[in-house]
Amino acid sequence: MAKVLILGPRAPAALELARRFDRAGWSAHVADSVSCRLSAWSRSVARAHRLPPPRSQAGEFVAALARIVAAEGIDLIVPTCEEVFFLSRYRSALPDGVRVLVDDFETLRALHSKRHFLELARDCGANVPDSAIVTHIDEARAWAAGGSLVLKPEYSRFGVHVRLYPRGMPADAAPLGLAQDWVAQRYYQGTELCSYSVADRGRLLAHSVYRPSYRLRRSSSFYFEPSPNAAIREFVERFVAKIGFTGQISFDWIVGDDGLTTVLECNPRATSGVHLFADDDALPAALMGETMECIEPSRPQPKMLAGVMVSAGLLQAIAQGNVRTWWRDYRRADDVLAVAGDRRPPLGGLVDMGSYAATALRQGCNLREAATRDIEWDGEPLPEL
């Protein structure tokens, strides 16, 4: 029996992949450096392994991975979160015989950069917003020249620290923080879309597009509405072919009322678009690079994090006076955590949240930071082993 090791099982996307591989006859293992009962308590997971945190213990992280691969006979490693950067950087320390679903480190560095990605994205069939690197709020104001703009750190995730100025920058705009450059980008109005894709040596093998209909503020979405878009697929096909990409790759988009499709940024990792594929769609084969044609969700159906939808989502609906729309959307969607025959992951997720809360109290940080700071990479040099 083939064996897959899925990293980042703290994330629902990893749980989704474990179920897909289990259904395809694989033995699914997971490994993480924080509490990951969300996936570990799934019936689809054969075994969960604990790893050192890659951000602070990179050598120990890759050594532990190598031991797991050798001891368990792992055939494929699939990252889902930002551990992808450390996995790519230290790929040479892992056994040659295991397929590691990552591209080379310099490619991932360029894709993760909000600046360099936009340079790569030109001439691939989508609108690319004007942008500039700024280090001071006055530089951003001068670049915008009174127009609308977006400010974001060059390396960031989940929309954290992003500032939107659709009517231009106010006089009292706060100074730029963080020890990194910021990107000033032209602001576009329209419908937000997100895409998730799998590629192998420049061939697009799996692709989905969704609308993040409900969000936690301006950050992570918890409701995923299938929204196929031919222009987005064409861009992704051309982009992965242009750079010869291998791995999972995701993009954020704005589609204007005039139909103009604008690509905003890239995440070279898994995102929630993985939930849209049906149980029998050949996603494991795509991740192995074995499919001949690109697969898309065969039975598009809205998906959601039901626990968040009935808590934060309902509160938002009440505040906005949209309870009837919320109820309609809730009834249309399937939960991605609790599924028939596998109901324990939501309970595991609650245990994980308790663990992250305890870490947040100990370290004096917020819950999101406690759940991700061990794998975050903001462009700093990664040492030789």
Side-chain angles (χ1 to χ4, degrees):
M1 177 183 292
K3 295 182 179 180
V4 61
L5 179 63
I6 301 169
L7 306 185
R10 69 189 78 182
L15 171 62
E16 192 74 61
L17 290 176
R19 287 169 170 161
R20 294 291 176 269
F21 276 100
D22 178 58
R23 185 178 179 87
W26 289 62
S27 176
H29 292 236
V30 299
D32 213 329
S33 51
V34 297
S35 180
C36 63
R37 293 171 179 84
L38 174 73
S39 296
W41 285 7
S42 169
R43 292 179 180 272
S44 295
V45 172
R47 185 174 178 186
H49 306 265
R50 192 64 176 244
L51 297 170
R55 187 175 185 181
S56 59
Q57 300 178 43
E60 293 87 342
F61 167 78
V62 73
L65 274 179
R67 287 194 298 270
I68 294 168
V69 168
E72 301 292 347
I74 299 297
D75 299 287
L76 169 66
I77 300 177
V78 180
T80 58
C81 301
E82 287 197 4
E83 75 280 339
V84 64
F85 302 111
F86 301 92
L87 187 64
S88 176
R89 176 67 175 85
Y90 303 116
R91 167 65 180 92
S92 61
L94 297 174
D96 291 336
V98 62
R99 173 176 167 85
V100 183
L101 194 64
V102 295
D103 212 307
D104 70 86
F105 182 67
E106 290 306 318
T107 296
L108 296 189
R109 181 201 297 272
L111 296 178
H112 189 36
S113 164
K114 304 294 189 292
R115 168 181 55 170
H116 292 301
F117 162 67
L118 294 178
E119 297 169 359
L120 286 174
R122 300 189 187 281
D123 303 319
C124 289
N127 181 53
V128 177
D130 293 336
S131 63
I133 285 290
V134 296
T135 58
H136 191 277
I137 195 67
D138 290 336
E139 290 180 323
R141 182 177 286 107
W143 179 84
S148 62
L149 81 158
V150 179
L151 282 174
K152 59 181 75 173
E154 181 178 2
Y155 298 97
S156 57
R157 72 285 301 156
F158 308 127
V160 175
H161 305 300
V162 172
R163 303 185 191 179
L164 304 179
Y165 297 114
R167 297 177 181 83
M169 186 182 298
D172 60 351
L176 301 181
L178 306 180
Q180 60 171 291
D181 291 337
W182 285 63
V183 175
Q185 190 177 91
R186 193 63 62 196
Y187 175 85
Y188 287 86
Q189 288 188 322
T191 301
E192 295 180 67
L193 295 179
C194 303
S195 66
Y196 162 81
S197 305
V198 178
D200 182 75
R201 292 167 293 178
R203 296 182 302 132
L204 183 64
L205 301 184
H207 179 70
S208 66
V209 181
Y210 66 95
R211 182 164 60 91
S213 303
Y214 293 81
R215 287 183 177 275
L216 292 172
R217 298 179 183 175
R218 291 202 307 265
S219 185
S220 300
S221 172
F222 52 89
Y223 193 97
F224 322 115
E225 180 82 40
S227 302
N229 183 293
I232 289 177
R233 171 166 169 160
E234 179 181 355
F235 169 90
V236 177
E237 283 186 312
R238 293 174 64 176
F239 184 82
V240 298
K242 175 181 177 180
I243 66 173
F245 186 77
T246 293
Q248 300 172 98
I249 190 165
S250 305
F251 302 93
D252 293 338
W253 304 84
I254 287 288
V255 179
D257 294 338
D258 58 357
L260 181 67
T261 304
T262 299
V263 63
L264 301 179
E265 59 185 64
C266 174
N267 295 299
R269 55 175 173 81
T271 55
S272 300
V274 72
H275 298 305
L276 300 184
F277 293 92
D279 288 349
D280 52 357
D281 288 343
L283 190 57
L287 292 163
M288 276 295 291
E290 295 175 344
T291 57
M292 298 303 295
E293 297 182 357
C294 178
I295 64 167
E296 297 191 40
S298 59
R299 295 184 294 279
Q301 170 73 19
K303 300 295 181 70
M304 65 179 173
L305 297 171
V308 186
M309 189 65 172
V310 299
S311 53
L314 178 56
L315 290 175
Q316 289 178 12
I318 292 172
Q320 297 167 4
N322 292 329
V323 174
R324 181 173 296 180
T325 300
W326 172 89
W327 177 240
R328 181 204 65 193
D329 290 340
Y330 178 81
R331 295 185 64 186
R332 290 191 306 120
D334 294 331
D335 187 20
V336 301
L337 299 186
V339 301
D342 196 21
R343 302 289 185 182
R344 294 184 66 196
L347 179 59
L350 288 175
V351 176
D352 290 346
M353 291 294 287
S355 175
Y356 305 151
T359 298
L361 286 173
R362 289 196 308 270
Q363 298 182 358
C365 62
N366 62 40
L367 199 61
R368 182 202 60 78
E369 292 170 334
T372 62
R373 61 171 28 173
D374 63 307
I375 57 172
E376 291 178 356
W377 180 67
D378 293 333
E380 66 273 12
L382 295 181
E384 298 287 343
L385 295 182

